[in-house]
Amino acid sequence: MKEILVTGGLGYIGSHTVVELMMKNYNVSIIDNLSNSEIFILENIEKITGRNPIFFNIDLTDYNKTNSCFTKKNYDGVIHFAAFKSVSESVEYPEKYYSNNLNSLLNILRCMKENKVDNIVFSSSCTVYGQPDDLPVSEKFPFKEAESPYARTKQISENIIKDFVNSTSFLSGISLRYFNPVGAHHSGLIGELPIGIPDNLVPYITQTAAGIRKELQVFGDDYDTHDGTAIRDYIHVEDLAEAHIAALERMCENKMDSEYEYYNIGTGVGNSVLDVVKSFERVNKLKLNYSVIERRSGDIEKIFSDCRISNKKLGWATKKGLDEMMNSAWKWQNNISSFLKG
Ligand code: UD1
């Protein structure tokens, strides 16, 4: 059985990927410092899979502690999720983002190099493209000026991985550039846990429906789109989790065209804010309080992915639509308070 190390494995996307790996009979070790996750997620992973991952509560910016995990197992691969991810916070505290996100990655790569671990899958974002000139966004598009320190850490991280891969004869890397991950595991046992007031659309919708927020504010309805609201490529987190396993298998089976590759991970379909709201209302038979206010500064009008290359090279494609995303997100929201209590 293959041994995989997952950093940030109790976080939103990490936990879904851990479940998917364990269901596919991989042995999983998790490193997570619980800075943006809860320990009950580990118990719920065990409930879903009937298996126990190894768990290290370690801060990846501590090289010696990180390296001690690498000496316990011979890992076949690492999936690196652990990073801070708030765009607005990164604008206020760039030092926090550069220090944590880059030092964690450097330590992981150093440990991989020293312990001869071959394969890394990196959690990147479509934010590396900046404001794209054309749609859909293809991997062939260059990086443009980063829109935030968070975005810049993703661009720099991809370049760091490329340099490390070039520096050894054994390292391979794949960066997955996610579009907008939403939804939750169909069991309702794991999902996104935003701290405080959510920045992102779907947690804001579910918290509004749950009565935690008064109303959703739709940021602008004067965009050049079918209903005036902005368009994004929302992807079900379970489909996204599967993309990581596809990437890992491509590396482990030596199918790579070059030692470093990068892929768009989305559905290829754009949905507007109001499409999301309507789907949420329809599948959950609810009415959502919302009002339209002015545009949010920094938002772009539309973005969605061209996924033809990732579909072909990874042998992967999304299976779930917007309704399943909205249904699972609501199921998860209904469970969160009972998990947090206890
Ligand atoms: C944001 C991040 C992006 C990150 C992604 C993770 C920014 C500028 N970008 O993207 O880097 O990878 O989250 O999923 O923060 N909306 C509302 N009302 C709300 C919240 C959002 O109308 O209360 C709208 C937004 O204007 C946007 C859409 O919903 O049109 C999606 O917003 P959001 O979930 O924040 O994601 P992004 O802005 O696409």
Side-chain angles (χ1 to χ4, degrees):
M1 250 192 263
K2 287 210 159 52
E3 297 283 344
I4 308 298
L5 180 66
V6 181
T7 74
L10 299 186
Y12 175 41
I13 301 162
S15 59
H16 288 82
T17 305
V18 167
V19 164
E20 192 58 30
L21 283 166
M22 291 171 73
M23 294 308 236
K24 294 223 160 85
N25 273 327
Y26 287 90
N27 283 337
V28 176
S29 302
I30 293 171
I31 300 182
D32 198 302
N33 66 357
L34 299 172
S35 64
N36 191 15
S37 57
E38 297 282 340
I39 197 67
F40 81 80
I41 296 288
L42 182 62
E43 291 155 24
N44 286 5
I45 288 172
E46 290 167 0
K47 275 188 207 153
I48 297 170
T49 62
R51 298 176 57 204
N52 301 328
I54 294 172
F55 174 55
F56 303 107
N57 181 344
I58 279 173
D59 191 322
L60 291 167
T61 59
D62 184 325
Y63 172 77
N64 290 329
K65 286 188 183 158
T66 303
N67 197 44
S68 72
C69 304
F70 277 84
T71 55
K72 296 208 171 67
K73 293 262 181 201
N74 283 324
Y75 290 111
D76 296 287
V78 174
I79 308 184
H80 181 50
F81 293 101
F84 293 144
K85 62 172 185 181
S86 160
V87 173
S88 53
E89 190 186 40
S90 80
V91 173
E92 201 172 348
Y93 304 107
E95 63 279 17
K96 183 172 166 181
Y97 276 69
Y98 287 116
S99 169
N100 182 67
N101 293 4
L102 300 182
N103 283 319
S104 297
L105 175 67
L106 285 170
N107 282 342
I108 282 289
L109 289 168
R110 239 181 100 192
C111 291
M112 289 180 73
K113 207 167 162 176
E114 278 160 32
N115 296 281
K116 296 260 179 322
V117 177
D118 296 342
N119 304 307
I120 180 164
V121 180
F122 176 63
S123 169
S124 190
S125 164
C126 65
T127 193
V128 296
Y129 295 113
Q131 299 256 1
D133 289 329
D134 210 353
L135 288 172
V137 179
S138 151
E139 288 90 342
K140 293 180 185 134
F141 290 16
F143 286 179
K144 292 182 67 189
E145 181 64 22
E147 311 254 296
S148 67
Y150 162 76
R152 209 180 308 278
T153 66
K154 292 296 178 193
Q155 293 181 337
I156 296 170
S157 294
E158 287 203 21
N159 282 318
I160 290 175
I161 294 171
K162 211 183 320 172
D163 288 341
F164 267 76
V165 161
N166 285 337
S167 76
T168 72
S169 58
F170 58 89
L171 255 180
S172 301
I174 294 184
S175 293
L176 299 181
R177 297 173 180 168
Y178 316 152
F179 281 67
N180 285 56
V182 298
H185 194 260
H186 61 274
S187 64
L189 290 170
I190 55 173
E192 187 170 10
L193 274 177
I195 297 176
I197 302 173
D199 279 333
N200 295 123
L201 178 64
V202 175
Y204 210 102
I205 288 177
T206 59
Q207 290 196 4
T208 304
I212 301 166
R213 312 279 155 215
K214 211 166 119 271
E215 65 170 13
L216 170 74
Q217 297 184 321
V218 174
F219 299 140
D221 66 353
D222 55 351
Y223 288 108
D224 182 18
T225 64
H226 63 275
D227 59 19
T229 64
I231 285 182
R232 298 289 182 273
D233 184 343
Y234 297 94
I235 172 172
H236 197 297
V237 66
E238 287 190 290
D239 280 331
L240 175 55
E242 283 185 7
H244 295 80
I245 286 92
L248 200 61
E249 285 173 357
R250 181 172 170 83
M251 286 194 285
C252 290
E253 291 164 15
N254 295 318
K255 290 182 178 159
M256 306 268 286
D257 297 329
S258 63
E259 276 70 44
Y260 175 71
E261 296 179 347
Y262 44 88
Y263 295 106
N264 284 346
I265 304 296
T267 63
V269 176
N271 280 293
S272 72
V273 176
L274 288 181
D275 290 336
V276 175
V277 169
K278 281 184 198 142
S279 163
F280 181 83
E281 291 185 324
R282 190 177 56 248
V283 294
N284 298 311
K285 302 187 176 53
L286 286 166
K287 272 255 98 9
L288 193 77
N289 289 333
Y290 69 87
S291 62
V292 178
I293 64 160
E294 69 277 13
R295 295 179 178 193
R296 177 169 71 178
S297 92
D299 266 349
I300 55 177
E301 183 168 270
K302 343 180 179 158
I303 181 163
F304 52 94
S305 63
D306 180 340
C307 281
R308 284 173 298 181
I309 296 177
S310 55
N311 291 168
K312 182 158 173 253
K313 297 283 181 182
L314 297 175
W316 162 91
T318 57
K319 300 183 197 112
K320 293 173 190 267
L322 194 55
D323 287 357
E324 280 162 294
M325 301 179 210
M326 293 305 112
N327 194 246
S328 60
W330 181 230
K331 186 171 179 182
W332 165 242
Q333 179 67 53
N334 283 312
N335 287 343
I336 295 175
S337 49
S338 65
F339 292 142
L340 287 172
K341 269 183 223 133

